[in-house]
């Protein structure tokens, strides 16, 4: 388990500037987040950041766009800075 955190996820869409985005369709916090996006989605972003750092992933989560559509959030990533 957790291997998807170690490299670029298969569903990630890479941009020319080296950033990536992943469409999140089944948010475990979706129902709770409605109307509380700032807090709930901030916690979700923090969990993603911590998980990626804990496994030494080459990517870091930079932001989370909540409810781009009612059933879709978008997580954004970039290469982790060296050092």
């Amino acid at each position: 388990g957790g291997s998807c955190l170690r490299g670029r996820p298969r569903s990630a869409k890479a941009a020319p500037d080296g950033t990536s985005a992943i469409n999140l369709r089944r948010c475990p916090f979706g129902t709770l987040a409605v109307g509380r996006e700032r807090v709930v989605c901030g916690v979700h972003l923090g969990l993603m950041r911590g998980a990626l750092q804990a496994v030494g992933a080459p990517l870091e989560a930079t932001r989370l766009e909540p409810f781009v559509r009612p059933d879709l959030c978008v997580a954004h990533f970039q290469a982790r800075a060296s050092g």
Side-chain angles (χ1 to χ4, degrees), residues 3-17:
S3 62
C4 66
L5 296 176
R6 296 184 194 280
R8 182 172 305 279
R10 287 183 292 227
S11 61
K13 298 174 187 166
D17 65 359

Side-chain angles (χ1 to χ4, degrees), residues 23-77:
N23 292 335
L24 304 174
R25 298 191 185 277
R26 294 188 181 163
C27 178
F29 308 110
T31 303
L32 181 63
V34 175
R36 302 176 193 92
E37 293 90 348
R38 180 179 231 173
V39 172
V40 175
C41 300
V43 169
H44 192 182
L45 178 60
L47 289 169
M48 286 190 287
R49 287 175 172 163
L52 291 166
Q53 185 175 11
V55 298
L59 299 175
E60 61 183 338
T62 56
R63 66 187 171 107
L64 180 58
E65 285 182 88
F67 304 113
V68 173
R69 290 193 323 241
D71 66 338
L72 176 68
C73 298
V74 180
H76 295 268
F77 303 87

